[in-house]
Amino acid sequence: MPHHSLGEESEAAEYATQQQSALPAQRAQRSRGVRARLTRRAAAVVGRSRFAHRNPGHRGLHAAARSHRVLRRDEVGASPYLGAAMGAALVAAPFIVDSGVLPALRLEGGGSWAIAGVDVLGIDYRGAVVPVIAVSYVLTLVERACNRLIGGAARFLLVPMLTLLVTGILAFLAIGPAMRWIGDAFADLIVTIYDAAGIAGGVVFGAVYPLLVVTGTHQGLVSLELSLLADGGSFIFPIAGVANLAQAGACFAVALLARRHSRLRTLATGAGLPAVFGIAEPAIFGVTLRLQFPLVAAVIASAVGGGILAGWHVEAITLGAAGVLGVASIAPGSGGMYLVAGAAAALLAFALTFAWGQVRARRGLPLDDVDPPGPRAPAVRPGGVGTLET
C-alpha cells in the first residue's frame, strides 16, 4: 500500500476545503452570467419595441409577419388564408359562370340555379359588405368544429378542405341570397323614406351616410345607386359629395387648431385635401373619428347639406368623384345648388369643429395624444443629438 505522509494528507484536506468553499462562488458566477444574458435579451426586446413605436412602418411589417398567428388567437379565430380563399370564390363565381368554363354551372332549358327568384351563382359580391361578414362568421364556426373533430396529421389536410366545402355550399345556397335579400330590402327602405319624408329624409340620410362610411356598408349602396341612375337620377351621389366636403371642413378646422409644425396639423391638412375631391376615408379614419368631436360636427353639417339637397331635389345623372368635381355628374340646372349645399356643409363643419376645439382648449383638454398640450420642443440642429450623424 502506498504510504502518505502527514503533510500530503493535510494538503489534500486543504484542497478539498478550498474546492468546497469555491462552489458557492462558482454558482453565483453562473447565476450572474444567466442574469446578464437574460438582461441583454430583455434589452434587445425593449429596444425593438421602442424602435417599432418610433417607426410605425417597421411595426407594420412585424404585425404583417405575425398576422396569421395573431388572427388565430383573437375573437374571430379563423385562418385569414381560408377567409381570403372564400372571398375570392364569392367574387369569382359570376365570372366563371358567364365565361362558360364549367358548363355544368349553366343549366339551359332543364332548370337554373335560382332559389326564391335569386340566381345564387350570379350574385355580384364585389361591393357587398354584410354578406361577406356573415360568411366569415360561418367560416369561423365551421373551422372550429373541424379542428375539434379532426386531430393528428389529418387536420392539416382535411380541415381547410372541409371548411371551404361546407362554408362554400352554405354561402352560395343560403347566406348569400338571404343577405342579398336583406340588403335589397334595406335599400328599398332608404328610397321609400327619402321619397316620403322630403327634406327630413335628406337630413336623416345625410347624417347616416358618414356612419355608413365608418362601417364600410356604404359600398352596399352601389347597386341601389345604379338602379336609381337607370331610372333617371340618384340622390345618393349628391349627399355623398356633401358628406365628403363636410369631412374636409372638419379636417381644416383641426389643422387650424393644432400647433404649428405638429404632426396633427400635417395629418389633418393632408387628409382634408383628398376629401375635397371625393376621398374621405383618410379624413374619417385618420382625423375625425380619432378625435370624435370633429366627426360629430361633420355629421351635423352633412345632415344640413342633405336637407338642402332634398329641398331642391338635386340628383346625379352619372357617377363620378363625390366632391367638388362631382358637380359634373349633377343633372343640368342643379349644379349650382349642389355647390351651395357642399359649401354650406363644409363651412358649418369648419365652424362647429373650430368652436368646439376652442372650448376644449379653454378647459385644458388636448386635441389628441399625438400633440399633448404644452410648449413645443426646440428643433434639433443638423448634426446634433437625434440625427443620423450621432
Side-chain angles (χ1 to χ4, degrees):
M1 292 180 61
H3 177 72
H4 297 284
S5 64
L6 182 60
E8 292 176 352
E9 293 179 357
S10 61
E11 290 179 1
E14 184 179 357
Y15 177 77
T17 303
Q18 291 177 357
Q19 291 295 326
Q20 292 178 358
S21 62
L23 286 177
Q26 294 175 357
R27 293 172 181 170
Q29 185 177 3
R30 287 196 297 267
S31 178
R32 286 194 297 269
V34 172
R35 287 197 297 269
R37 287 194 297 271
L38 293 177
T39 303
R40 286 195 297 269
R41 292 178 183 176
V45 172
V46 172
R48 286 195 297 268
S49 64
R50 289 178 179 175
F51 177 78
H53 180 73
R54 294 192 298 266
N55 299 271
H58 187 79
R59 180 177 52 193
L61 292 176
H62 281 284
R66 299 193 306 265
S67 62
H68 176 76
R69 185 171 66 256
V70 172
L71 285 173
R72 291 191 63 86
R73 289 199 301 264
D74 66 3
E75 66 275 6
V76 177
S79 170
Y81 303 110
L82 296 182
M86 194 68 250
L90 291 174
V91 173
F95 302 99
I96 295 176
V97 173
D98 294 337
S99 65
V101 176
L102 299 177
L105 297 179
R106 300 191 63 154
L107 303 182
E108 299 177 359
S112 66
W113 289 95
I115 297 179
V118 178
D119 185 4
V120 296
L121 294 181
I123 300 176
D124 191 356
Y125 293 97
R126 286 177 297 176
V129 175
V130 178
V132 175
I133 294 176
V135 170
S136 301
Y137 179 72
V138 173
L139 184 142
T140 301
L141 299 180
V142 174
E143 185 182 6
R144 288 178 179 175
C146 292
N147 283 324
R148 286 194 301 265
L149 297 176
I150 303 174
R155 174 180 297 177
F156 297 98
L157 176 63
L158 297 179
V159 169
M161 180 182 65
L162 294 177
T163 300
L164 292 178
L165 179 62
V166 175
T167 307
I169 294 175
L170 294 176
F172 284 108
L173 299 184
I175 302 174
M179 292 296 104
R180 176 64 180 269
W181 181 84
I182 293 175
D184 292 343
F186 177 71
D188 294 339
L189 179 63
I190 292 177
V191 174
T192 302
I193 293 177
Y194 186 88
D195 294 338
I199 297 178
V203 171
V204 172
F205 189 68
V208 171
Y209 188 83
L211 305 180
L212 296 179
V213 176
V214 171
T215 58
T217 53
H218 68 294
Q219 298 290 347
L221 300 177
V222 174
S223 59
L224 170 62
E225 190 165 14
L226 292 177
S227 64
L228 291 175
L229 291 173
D231 293 337
S234 170
F235 64 88
I236 299 177
F237 179 84
I239 291 182
V242 168
N244 292 342
L245 292 174
Q247 295 293 332
C251 282
F252 291 144
V254 171
L256 189 61
L257 290 169
R259 294 181 292 111
R260 293 181 59 186
H261 307 294
S262 63
R263 287 178 292 176
L264 182 58
R265 170 170 286 191
T266 303
L267 178 63
T269 304
L273 289 176
V276 174
F277 298 100
I279 304 175
E281 282 79 3
I284 293 177
F285 297 105
V287 180
T288 60
L289 181 61
R290 189 176 71 183
L291 302 184
Q292 297 182 0
F293 73 92
L295 179 62
V296 176
V299 167
I300 295 174
S302 178
V304 173
I308 296 175
L309 293 175
W312 288 88
H313 302 286
V314 178
E315 292 183 343
I317 57 176
T318 184
L319 297 178
V324 173
L325 300 180
V327 66
S329 301
I330 304 301
S334 301
M337 287 310 305
Y338 171 78
L339 294 177
V340 169
L347 293 175
L348 181 58
F350 181 91
L352 291 176
T353 303
F354 187 79
W356 202 332
Q358 291 288 341
V359 172
R360 290 173 58 90
R362 293 191 184 96
R363 296 180 180 179
L365 299 176
L367 282 177
D368 188 40
D369 55 1
V370 172
D371 292 293
R376 184 168 59 91
V380 180
R381 293 184 294 105
V385 178
T387 63
L388 294 177
E389 298 181 12
T390 57

